[in-house]
Amino acid sequence: MARTLEFCAGDHFRIGADGTWFHDDQPIRRDAMVRLFASILHRDGDGAYWLVTPGEKVRVTVDDVPFVAVGMDVAGAGAAQVITFETNIGARVRLDAAHPLRVRGTAAGPRPYLRLDGGFEALVARGVYYDLAALAVPGPDGRAGIASAGKVFALEPEGMAP
């Protein structure tokens, strides 16, 4: 017989726009605890975020996206270049067709996001975005882009004229 999850009401968990996790409005300072919660974080078809255990389901309020890309490594050059990001929870994600970059915002205030597995995204931290911009090449649509894994990803928001 299928077991029903107990829904725990209340907004006890929140993830700030900078990737900080909060419980009852207090920051969770232990990295191991944040990684544990991140490992049970799920996103449903309506875009809501949940911590799901075998017995409970707790809603999580997310200010922007749940993760932040806080570092990157570059291997190779030119067409062979591959960029790998590291998130605030220690995950390493290669920039490729399955994990593309998209940029929202404006030219004066771009907000780049990296797609992760499970329907999640990570905001690319400002310093990391500047590191990407230093590697920019002209993209196929005329916008500045970044080459990784044989593809060029735009570094400027969609709709920006070259």
Side-chain angles (χ1 to χ4, degrees), residues 107-121:
R111 296 201 43 94
Y113 296 88
L114 175 68
R115 184 183 308 155
L116 307 175
D117 293 332
F120 297 114
E121 286 186 304

Side-chain angles (χ1 to χ4, degrees), residues 129-154:
Y129 180 74
Y130 291 150
D131 291 342
L132 286 174
L135 300 171
V137 297
D141 61 1
R143 294 185 290 164
I146 187 71
S148 182
K151 198 165 164 51
V152 176
F153 302 90

